Amino acid sequence: MSLDKDGDSRFFWITHSQSQKGRITVVWILTGIGLLAAAALMGYSRQRVRRAESEFPPTGEFVTVEGIRLHYNSKGRGRPIVCLHGGMLSSADYSGVMELASSQYRVLVFDRPGYGYSERPGKGIMTPQNQARLLHEALKKLGATEPILVGHSWSGLLVLSYALQYSDELAGIVLLAPGAYGGKAYPAGIADRILNALVLSPFVGKLLLHTLLVPLGGLAVKSVTDATFAPDPVPHDYRRLAQAVWPRPAQIRANREDIEGFIRNADAVSSRYGELRLPVVIAVGDSDPFRPELQAYRLHREIPHSKLLKIEHTGHMIPQARPEAVLQALNLLEKEIAAREGQTGPRTANG
């Protein structure tokens, strides 16, 4: 039996129409599944943020500058030292340093903008120079005059930016495993640039931050903390805090912005390091995996009057793993300050 030409045509259009409807149905089903998955991940993200902030609430005080609330902890009396964490966590990185140094100094430990419980402007990239300006205004409000700035890792560039802008208002700076140079020296590759572009885009970024990046960030915490603490083990309490606080959407975005800000601004800042005249101490672990020969050691060469402190059997996470070495670096800096001021020793809490 055969169909005539009209029958063939009708058969084709019926089957073609059915095929189209089938494809449309599949598309709608997949879209529905995608929306449900996104909604579930967003719900998980919100729940995780609430749980983290309930388990680890802010422990310090707030100061508002340019409409931005910055969270900080303070302890002790004497010359102010201002401690700034790297790209991983928060002011909690300096918990041990605060305990040791507060007998000699007024210790101020900040959550940088977007980290911990500090706010961050909603538009534009917060460059190291912009963060230095916010910090400068905060310290003026807090009456912290002639401080020593202590910067770890990413905050090396922040402290150096601050020193170039406000050198006459500082007693000196301490740089712990500092990031100071971009290009091949900075461990951010093409994958970072692609992820930065996605996260910082208006729609895709917001979707990623509140869905996939929260659980993926939580999974990444172990490998990141292992790498920064090695050869030391990661303290259990620190790991718990990092797994709770770091994968929050706002903090992930702040971290991505900081990586992009470092890449864009490091060359302009680093070209001026030779202008610095204030006392500088650079501390670096002998087992740091993040190319200190391209960062800390190069910086020491380009600031000839700087003092270099090498810490044995130590990796990148100096503030947490070796708080006593931070105090050693501060005492070394005080000797430099005293020599310049014609004094015989460091100032004490009553000095």
Side-chain angles (χ1 to χ4, degrees):
M1 181 177 176
S2 63
L3 293 174
D4 58 20
K5 192 172 184 179
D6 289 341
D8 285 343
S9 179
R10 286 194 300 273
F11 178 77
F12 170 77
W13 286 112
I14 289 169
T15 55
H16 180 67
S17 176
Q18 289 173 337
S19 176
Q20 277 188 320
K21 288 179 180 178
R23 284 196 294 270
I24 291 170
T25 300
V26 170
V27 169
W28 278 108
I29 290 172
L30 291 176
T31 300
I33 292 172
L35 290 172
L36 287 172
L41 284 170
M42 284 181 180
Y44 169 78
S45 172
R46 287 193 294 269
Q47 182 184 27
R48 181 163 186 160
V49 169
R50 287 195 296 267
R51 185 170 65 246
E53 295 181 352
S54 173
E55 187 176 359
F56 299 100
T59 57
E61 303 172 77
F62 292 88
V63 58
T64 301
V65 290
E66 299 183 12
I68 305 298
R69 290 207 328 155
L70 300 177
H71 177 246
Y72 70 97
N73 282 273
S74 64
K75 187 175 183 179
R77 296 175 54 217
R79 188 199 297 277
I81 65 167
V82 180
C83 300
L84 301 159
H85 62 87
M88 178 63 194
L89 197 53
S90 68
S91 56
D93 288 0
Y94 286 95
S95 56
V97 173
M98 176 171 277
E99 290 303 313
L100 286 177
S102 58
S103 62
Q104 184 176 341
Y105 297 97
R106 177 190 177 192
V107 185
L108 296 156
V109 184
F110 280 83
D111 291 344
R112 290 195 297 102
Y115 294 78
Y117 286 96
S118 286
E119 296 175 345
R120 192 176 180 102
K123 294 183 180 179
I125 300 293
M126 274 295 293
T127 66
Q129 296 94 323
N130 290 340
Q131 293 190 41
R133 187 188 70 249
L134 284 179
L135 178 64
H136 180 251
E137 293 303 311
L139 295 182
K140 284 201 297 185
K141 280 196 169 186
L142 296 173
T145 58
E146 294 188 25
I148 293 169
L149 296 193
V150 180
H152 173 238
S153 192
W154 187 97
S155 281
L157 190 64
L158 167 55
V159 167
L160 288 160
S161 297
Y162 192 112
L164 287 166
Q165 294 179 68
Y166 311 109
S167 179
D168 292 343
E169 301 176 38
L170 290 174
I173 61 176
V174 171
L175 302 165
L176 310 171
Y181 300 95
K184 294 181 180 180
Y186 190 64
I190 292 178
D192 279 296
R193 299 305 297 263
I194 293 171
L195 183 57
N196 291 353
L198 290 172
V199 169
L200 301 180
S201 63
F203 175 76
V204 174
K206 189 171 184 179
L207 182 63
L208 286 173
L209 284 167
H210 291 274
T211 55
L212 290 174
L213 291 183
V214 173
L216 290 178
L219 293 174
V221 166
K222 184 180 187 303
S223 61
V224 172
T225 51
D226 283 347
T228 54
F229 273 86
D232 291 291
V234 183
H236 175 71
D237 288 345
Y238 186 91
R239 178 109 68 190
R240 282 183 61 241
L241 177 62
Q243 287 175 331
V245 171
W246 191 84
R248 296 174 302 165
Q251 187 144 332
I252 295 174
R253 181 181 175 86
N255 176 257
R256 289 290 113 190
E257 284 187 355
D258 278 352
I259 291 172
E260 190 65 23
F262 194 107
I263 292 169
R264 292 184 189 182
N265 291 274
D267 288 347
V269 179
S270 61
S271 66
R272 299 182 57 202
Y273 292 158
E275 300 173 21
L276 292 172
R277 297 292 179 266
L278 77 173
V280 178
V281 171
I282 302 166
V284 62
D286 64 355
S287 300
D288 192 319
F290 299 122
R291 307 296 300 275
E293 70 277 9
L294 301 180
Q295 296 285 352
Y297 297 138
R298 177 183 170 186
L299 183 63
H300 175 50
R301 292 193 301 271
E302 293 192 9
I303 307 177
H305 67 272
S306 65
K307 301 300 180 183
L308 182 67
L309 177 63
K310 296 180 182 180
I311 311 167
E312 293 184 353
H313 313 300
T314 300
H316 190 69
M317 201 59 172
I318 297 170
Q320 267 282 318
R322 298 289 184 274
E324 70 284 355
V326 179
L327 196 61
Q328 184 182 354
L330 285 166
N331 288 333
L332 180 58
L333 186 77
E334 286 284 9
K335 291 179 181 179
E336 292 299 303
I337 295 170
R340 294 189 181 205
E341 295 177 350
Q343 298 175 352
T344 57
R347 294 182 182 181
T348 65
N350 298 317

